[in-house]
Amino acid sequence: MHRTISRATFAAALAALLMVSSVLAAPPGTNTQAAENAACATLFSVSTSIGPDPLGACQWDMRAIGATSTGSYAVNRGKGVRVGDIDTGIDLTHTDIMPNVDLAASCAFIYATTPTSNPAEQVTRGDCSNKAALQDLAGHGTHTAGTIAAPINGRGIAGVAPEATIVVLKAGTEQGYFFTQSVVDALRYAGDQRLDVVNMSFFADPWLFNCRNDREQKAIIKAISDAARYAQERGVVLVAAAGNDGIDMNHPTTDEISPDYPPGAAVSRPVNNSCVVMPTEIPGVVVVTATGAENLLSWYSTYGNVTDVTAPGGSRYQTPTFDSSRGRVLAPYSSTASDLDLEASLGRLVQDPDGNYYAWLNGTSMAAPHAVGVVALIRAAHPGMSRGAVVALLRSTATGQACPTALDPGVDFFGAPVQYCSGGAGSNNFYGKGLVNALAASR
């Protein structure tokens, strides 16, 4: 069911939700837009005026995939494409992403029965009228949406597809949990809406690996797989983050973090290929690993022969000179995220003159939206193309990457699992068919 809400009612509800954050000054340590852009220009040896927007010097990620003023932006900006973002919502006050959000079509799928949910984000199942519930209390959803489709508007950053439309599908709670019912409902809604592409930068809680010999986990696999198939049958391209466990997904041996809810419930258990990560290992889902500014697989990135393509996810160990924050991905962030003070204290929070926040984050969660943006460009260039053909074109236009001769230094620093690459350029378990290429895919 989809009910409308009056502008006045929505404005009043949103004002009540955001009343506190709207009057608070930026946390100590927050960087100004001008200072951040200047620091990035020095770090990446580019002009402060490289653009297309005021934080353009910081967008090493867009330059890596050809999403620049002389690259894909000059050819194709994703106009007319509708992109679903299954995540933690959106900052409804952020003027560097909201111009490209279809608020009427956006919907929250967080319920009173959803563990870890905040009452402010809970809705009645099947009712999309409570738009204030879309407010992002975690920050993650605003970041992924901005990477996909932040407009070129003289503010902050530009997304991969800066004229695409975002449909917010809020399935992640304030604490960042994505439970089965919320994920299922979001996927089915995406199918109902016949969206062009959907970003999935999460794994479905509480199990990292779901094993078919367990009744509960088998039911989770079936429920999410059925919902994903429903969306795919209606033409939706589904794109998922590979994960941040630094393991070969084709050879899992141990799950140390499940169940991750309730806190403290995790046990160490053996797993094998009969156990799958949802929604990443659903047939037909595009799987995206993460790279840093040197195009090395990021130290944390899960990988394997399931990989379709790779995209910028960030790593502080791959900047030209070491920088503890700026090797990540800079994108819009929510004014109601609970960790603003922490991000600012680490030098990873930026504020533009309009009061909008941006944060430097890394993860395969940041990589997947880059691939989603490229899919949006393909959809814009070929509006009648089938789902399978779109995925094939995403893969065939990627820039092949050979197995590297060295690993991201973060592997040694963090004592992360050693990553083993196998295969040739354009077909290996680190990068799949290669680094997504916005310009090549735009035509």
Side-chain angles (χ1 to χ4, degrees), residues 54 70 106 108 174 203 205 221 234 323 423:
T70 57
S106 297
E174 176 185 28
F203 74 84
D205 300 286
I221 294 171
R234 282 151 185 79
D323 191 303

Side-chain angles (χ1 to χ4, degrees), residues 10 14 17-18 85 87-103 106-108 121 131-147 149-150 166-172 332-337:
F10 168 64
L14 181 59
L17 180 67
L18 302 183
D85 192 18
D87 215 304
T88 60
I90 198 81
D91 184 351
L92 294 158
T93 70
H94 205 298
T95 58
D96 198 20
I97 185 56
M98 284 307 295
N100 283 350
V101 171
D102 183 347
L103 194 61
S106 297
C107 193
E121 57 188 355
K131 303 304 180 181
L134 295 168
Q135 180 62 29
D136 185 4
L137 305 180
H140 195 273
T142 303
H143 200 277
T144 56
T147 297
I166 294 288
V167 177
V168 179
L169 307 173
K170 182 171 179 174
Y333 208 55
S334 180
S335 60
T336 51

Side-chain angles (χ1 to χ4, degrees), residues 88-324:
T88 60
I90 198 81
D91 184 351
L92 294 158
T93 70
H94 205 298
T95 58
D96 198 20
I97 185 56
M98 284 307 295
N100 283 350
V101 171
D102 183 347
L103 194 61
S106 297
C107 193
F109 306 95
I110 306 296
Y111 315 120
T113 55
T114 306
T116 76
S117 61
N118 183 308
E121 57 188 355
Q122 295 170 0
V123 299
T124 300
R125 191 175 177 210
D127 183 358
C128 294
S129 65
N130 183 359
K131 303 304 180 181
L134 295 168
Q135 180 62 29
D136 185 4
L137 305 180
H140 195 273
T142 303
H143 200 277
T144 56
T147 297
I148 298 166
I152 296 174
N153 59 355
R155 294 184 173 94
I157 64 116
V160 180
E163 293 183 6
T165 297
I166 294 288
V167 177
V168 179
L169 307 173
K170 182 171 179 174
T173 69
E174 176 185 28
Q175 295 184 35
Y177 287 91
F178 293 76
F179 290 102
T180 301
Q181 190 65 66
S182 298
V183 172
V184 166
D185 290 351
L187 283 167
R188 290 192 172 275
Y189 183 81
D192 290 339
Q193 291 282 313
R194 297 185 181 273
L195 300 179
D196 291 297
V197 58
V198 166
N199 183 64
M200 301 186 295
S201 289
F202 63 90
F203 74 84
D205 300 286
W207 302 93
L208 173 59
F209 285 94
N210 293 269
C211 301
R212 291 181 174 88
N213 61 358
D214 178 276
R215 179 179 297 179
E216 174 194 348
Q217 293 162 48
K218 183 178 180 180
I220 290 172
I221 294 171
K222 177 173 172 45
I224 297 177
S225 296
D226 287 352
R229 189 178 308 112
Y230 177 84
Q232 290 169 328
E233 288 172 350
R234 282 151 185 79
V236 183
V237 176
L238 299 178
V239 179
N244 301 328
D245 301 285
I247 61 173
D248 183 344
M249 197 180 296
N250 291 108
H251 303 285
T253 58
T254 309
D255 181 359
E256 301 281 358
I257 70 171
S258 302
D260 62 2
Y261 184 84
V267 295
S268 178
R269 60 184 182 131
V271 293
N272 55 39
N273 279 332
S274 69
C275 305
V276 293
V277 179
M278 303 299 289
T280 306
E281 293 189 82
I282 293 173
V285 169
V286 176
V287 179
V288 187
T289 59
T291 57
E294 293 179 4
N295 288 347
L296 296 175
L297 188 74
S298 298
W299 62 269
Y300 52 79
S301 184
T302 293
Y303 60 101
N305 291 328
V306 297
T307 304
D308 287 284
V309 291
T310 196
S315 169
R316 57 177 158 165
Y317 295 96
Q318 294 188 43
T319 49
T321 57
F322 178 77
D323 191 303
S324 62

Side-chain angles (χ1 to χ4, degrees), residues 367-378:
H370 288 85
V372 167
V374 175
V375 171
L377 300 180
I378 294 172

Side-chain angles (χ1 to χ4, degrees), residues 395-410:
R395 289 161 54 92
S396 67
T397 56
T399 304
Q401 305 289 308
C403 284
T405 57
L407 296 178
D408 183 332

Side-chain angles (χ1 to χ4, degrees), residues 9 36 40 66 80 117 135 181 219 288 318 369 372 413-414 427 434-435:
T9 301
E36 192 69 14
C40 289
S117 61
Q135 180 62 29
Q181 190 65 66
V288 187
Q318 294 188 43
V372 167
F413 182 86
F414 289 105
S427 183
L435 183 67

